[in-house]
């Protein structure tokens, strides 16, 4: 098989060899973590070790980590299970947050996708019901980082709780739940080089949370169901990996410099962003055609969020950022990670350059006509 | 698994979780490493490959219960499936019918969900069971009304292994236009299941109870006549809008292969396990007095024995058989060491409930292991009875119930 | 749950298991707990003419900690006067056996068993 440049880490990251190793050991282990006998206790110990590693990743006490089946479940758990009467979410949230509650109020964002803090404060001021504010840490499409610290500061001033969907942020840049003084955060294993099918909700000790899956009493009664042992162990192993994001950022910047030179419109590059993500448009060629053409060249990228079940439609994030449709429809996202290399960037630029040339040729032709 | 080594206790806890079949592990391993890819990234090759694998797995799961692959939704496990089935159907049809019937011996997650739904305006009937652990069909029939939306009865009980009459329940439900949900976490691969023949509308399936991995399960949702549910986890709209969240191809593949193996090998496996089960039970009866089987002997899966060893306290017994991995109750609650609510529902008296062990056997159990375990249990029961004031009284003909015990 | 070495030792090699004649004047019997609660202890003491406990026997229906607690007190009461024996505290037992919090009730039961046995003996010798 010829070389593949995988550049879709924000959709899912390849698992670390250490993760695959830890999981193959865990999956061979027999024992329900709730069983009292020795094999059960050993399974329990494996889960608690992983809990420690995940807690360390975001700097919280171990007890704050509730394992779930992924980021989506973690989001649903907090939005449905917290006892708040009212929910404020930003316009650029992942669908897993946006679609949970019909009564959620939407906070506007600016041209970079950053939450309008004045609007947040106004919304909190005008209604004194108990409120949960849910804002994404870093956007999955643009990689733009929200001012979580300031959001928490404002929200807490009005007695509101704050949840951060940090599935894209945790593990890619400093994300310290304690320092940010967050109340809840969602994490996903497969976005950081762990397996799919596992995630966590971080919950500040003492905050009330009504379980979505009743029964069994696992995860301190906040999430019933036998724990995904091998998945959790894999998540723990991924959380222990140290990734050099300075190098990844250099690769990303190099790629971005080259595509800009070729005429790309880059989104979010004027503000704080994840070091691994670049989101840009080649005006004149729709996203899905770019993605397919790149695929044929063995380069794997995405047209935005992977969850929209294959449908490529204009990103709601770009819409919220007030990007014109004819630009938004031509956007692709590259996202890098622990196994990315210079060769990947070269392969991408080579392949993408050909697409630029195709667009230019078409334009020349239509101009001539 | 070898016999009696400090490293590997003899595993007799197959109802808590089953070892992952090595063939399942082998099928999963490539998806841990080379074959990563988000199965929902439909426009690049890695995503396609993952999606193909997930669809193949969906077919394998459908096949074991005679369903259509389109009727299978992957979930994180049977607990989620049970929650989704009950709350999902409840939320959709709440304004049409709001009565639910379930059974007192259901898994905690069904009972807890029902209790929660009562607070949301549903009316729930909790049917009792007969002394053998089976429901009385007449009682079910009598409980059904025009308002009965859903009946939820498990296929096989996790503590006592009894098999409920699914086909008869399904027929009653269909006649009453009531949906039939069954928690088959313990039943898949152990008994023949056919959603058509049994008129099942929703069925919960678990991965790690059928030699597949933990963290994956499925919910069967009938399409004809169509059963509608409202999603409990929202977001990307995966699983036909009924369950959002990125699927784990490795786990789906694991569940699929586990179903395929179970379907192929169930008949021969059951025959072998039935012999082991009866061998163990016969030896207990022949070599000990005052042993009682909890739950029906005939309507029972061959992977379970739940036995009360009168006058010997279960936890004390477990300590003496540390080289056997057994449970003294449901795995989810055994840490709390309360007498099992399932045994109490059967009418087993509390003092006898305290003396019970759940012995689960399965695919990797050997004759040698079963004999070793049986020897150990019999020896330890005899030793502890020598130490038991209750056994001594019984031998002397003193009725324990005649004594005024100071309950504490 | 894992057990301390001392609990395991008493469980595997219980001291003074057995029965003495209930009716005999020098024997005091304490039967505490309840089968429905999952533990029953029977402690018997044999008291000499000098008022010193000469011998002790137990039988217990219960978990490993209950068996160990009763085994331990049979050792402790021997050679003590009735007053000294009645001063044995459940906390001493729990500490000696390193019982986890969920097992403290076993040591309470053992203390109750001593008190009940002494009471039974005293009731036989009221005059």
């Amino acid at each position: 098989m010829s070389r593949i440049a995988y550049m879709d880490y924000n959709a899912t990251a390849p698992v670390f060899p250490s993760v695959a190793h830890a999981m193959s050991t865990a999956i061979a282990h027999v024992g329900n973590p709730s069983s009292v006998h020795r094999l059960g206790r050993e399974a329990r110990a494996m889960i608690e070790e992983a809990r420690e590693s995940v807690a360390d990743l975001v700097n919280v006490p171990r007890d704050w980590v509730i394992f779930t089946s992924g980021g989506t479940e973690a989001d649903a758990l907090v939005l449905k299970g917290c006892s708040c009467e009212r929910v404020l979410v930003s316009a650029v949230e992942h669908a897993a947050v946006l679609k949970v509650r019909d009564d959620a109020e939407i906070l506007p964002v600016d041209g970079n996708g950053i939450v309008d803090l004045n609007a947040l404060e106004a919304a909190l001021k005008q209604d004194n019901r108990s409120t949960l504010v849910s804002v994404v840490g870093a956007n999955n499409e643009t990689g733009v980082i929200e001012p979580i610290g300031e959001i928490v500061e404002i929200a807490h001033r009005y007695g509101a709780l704050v949840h951060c969907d940090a599935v894209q942020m945790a593990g890619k840049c400093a994300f310290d739940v304690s320092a940010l003084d967050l109340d809840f955060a969602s994490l996903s294993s497969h976005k950081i080089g762990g397996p799919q099918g596992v995630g966590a909700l971080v919950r500040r000790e003492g905050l009330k949370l009504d379980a979505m899956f009743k029964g069994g009493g696992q995860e301190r009664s906040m999430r019933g169901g036998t724990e995904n042992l091998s998945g959790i162990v894999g998540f723990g192993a991924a959380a222990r990996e140290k990734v050099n994001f300075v190098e990844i950022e250099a690769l990303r910047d190099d790629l971005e410099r080259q595509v800009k030179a070729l005429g790309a419109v880059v989104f979010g590059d004027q503000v704080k962003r994840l070091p691994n993500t670049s989101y840009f448009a080649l005006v004149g060629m729709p996203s899905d055609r770019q993605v397919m053409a790149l695929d044929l060249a063995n380069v794997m990228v995405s047209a935005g969020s992977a969850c929209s079940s294959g449908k490529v439609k204009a990103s709601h994030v770009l819409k919220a950022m007030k990007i014109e449709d004819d630009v938004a429809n031509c956007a692709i996202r590259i996202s890098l990670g622990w196994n990315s290399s210079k060769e990947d960037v070269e392969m991408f630029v080579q392949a993408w350059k050909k697409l630029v040339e195709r667009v230019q040729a078409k334009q020349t032709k239509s101009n001539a006509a | 698994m070898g016999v009696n080594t400090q490293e590997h206790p003899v595993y007799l806890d197959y109802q808590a979780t089953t070892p992952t079949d090595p063939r399942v592990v082998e099928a999963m391993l490539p998806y841990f490493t080379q074959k990563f890819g988000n199965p929902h990234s439909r426009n690049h090759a890695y995503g396609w490959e993952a999606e193909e694998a997930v669809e193949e797995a969906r077919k394998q799961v459908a096949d074991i219960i005679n369903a259509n692959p389109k009727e299978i939704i992957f979930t994180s496990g049977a607990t989620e499936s049970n929650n989704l089935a009950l709350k999902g159907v409840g939320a959709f049809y709440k304004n049409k019918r709001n009565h639910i019937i379930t059974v007192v011996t259901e898994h905690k997650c069904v009972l807890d969900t029902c209790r929660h739904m009562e607070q949301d305006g549903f009316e729930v009937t909790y049917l009792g069971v007969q002394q053998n652990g089976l429901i009385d069909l007449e009682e079910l029939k009598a409980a059904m009304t025009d308002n009965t939306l859903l009946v939820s009865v498990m296929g096989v009980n996790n503590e006592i292994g009894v098999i409920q009459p699914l086909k008869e329940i399904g027929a009653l439900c269909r006649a009453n236009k009531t949906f039939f949900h069954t928690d088959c976490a313990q039943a898949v691969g152990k008994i023949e299941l056919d959603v058509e023949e049994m008129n099942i509308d929703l069925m919960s399936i678990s991965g790690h109870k059928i030699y597949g991995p933990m963290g994956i399960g499925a919910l069967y949702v009938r399409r004809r006549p169509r059963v509608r549910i409202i999603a409990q986890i929202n977001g990307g709209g995966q699983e036909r809008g009924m369950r959002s969240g990125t699927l784990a191809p490795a786990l789906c593949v694991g569940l699929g292969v586990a179903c395929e193996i179970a379907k192929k090998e169930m008949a021969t496996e059951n025959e072998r396990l039935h012999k082991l089960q009866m061998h163990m039970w016969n030896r207990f009866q022949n070599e000990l007095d005052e042993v009682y089987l909890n739950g029906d002997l005939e309507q029972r899966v061959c992977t379970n024995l739940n036995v009360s060893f009168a006058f010997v306290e279960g936890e004390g017994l477990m300590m003496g058989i540390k080289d056997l991995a057994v449970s003294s109750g449901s795995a989810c609650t055994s840490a709390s060491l309360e007498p099992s609510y399932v045994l109490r529902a059967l009418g087993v008296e509390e003092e006898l409930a305290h003396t019970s062990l759940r012995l689960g056997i399965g695919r990797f159990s050997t004759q040698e292991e079963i004999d070793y375990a049986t020897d150990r249990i019999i020896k330890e029961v005899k030793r502890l009875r020598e130490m038991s004031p209750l056994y001594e009284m019984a031998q002397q003909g003193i009725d324990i119930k005649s004594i005024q015990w100071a309950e504490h | 749950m894992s057990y301390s070495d001392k609990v395991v030792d008493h469980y595997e090699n219980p001291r003074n298991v057995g029965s003495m004649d209930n009716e005999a004047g020098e024997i005091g019997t304490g039967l505490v707990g309840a089968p429905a609660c999952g533990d029953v202890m029977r402690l018997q003491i044999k008291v000499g003419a000098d008022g010193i406990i000469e011998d002790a026997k137990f039988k217990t229906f219960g978990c490993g900690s209950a068996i160990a607690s009763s085994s331990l007190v049979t050792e402790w009461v021997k050679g003590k006067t009735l007053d000294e024996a009645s001063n044995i505290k459940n906390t001493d037992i729990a500490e000696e056996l390193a019982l986890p919090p969920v097992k403290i009730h076993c040591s309470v039961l053992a203390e109750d068993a001593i008190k009940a046995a002494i009471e039974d003996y005293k009731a036989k010798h009221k005059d």
Side-chain angles (χ1 to χ4, degrees), chain A residues 15 37-38 80 196 212 307, chain B residues 6 13 32 87 232 236 249:
Chain A
V15 298
H37 51 68
R38 177 154 52 96
K80 289 186 168 180
Q196 289 158 339
M212 198 160 49
C307 294
Chain B
Q6 271 301 310
D13 203 9
F32 287 166
K87 290 185 204 160
Q232 302 297 302

Side-chain angles (χ1 to χ4, degrees), chain A residues 217-286:
Chain A
Q218 289 92 347
E219 298 298 291
R220 303 170 75 213
S221 289
M222 287 179 284
R223 203 274 186 183
T226 299
E227 299 86 341
N228 175 0
L229 180 63
S230 67
I232 288 171
V233 165
F235 189 9
R240 289 191 290 274
E241 285 284 346
K242 300 274 175 278
V243 181
N244 186 340
F245 274 95
V246 177
E247 277 175 22
I248 291 170
E249 187 165 15
L251 286 178
R252 192 271 313 264
D253 290 347
D254 180 37
L255 181 145
E256 216 161 63
R257 193 179 43 76
Q258 298 191 57
V259 297
K260 270 183 189 164
L262 290 166
V265 182
V266 180
F267 308 114
D269 61 335
Q270 299 304 312
V271 289
K272 237 168 90 183
R273 249 184 332 161
L274 291 178
N276 77 318
T277 307
S278 184
Y279 198 25
F280 50 87
L282 165 56
V283 180
M285 186 181 277

Side-chain angles (χ1 to χ4, degrees), chain B residues 142-159:
Chain B
M144 282 183 171
T145 70
D146 292 348
N147 189 33
T148 306
L149 169 63
L150 180 77
V151 167
S152 180
V153 179
M154 70 196 334
V156 170
N157 185 273
N158 51 311
E159 289 193 37

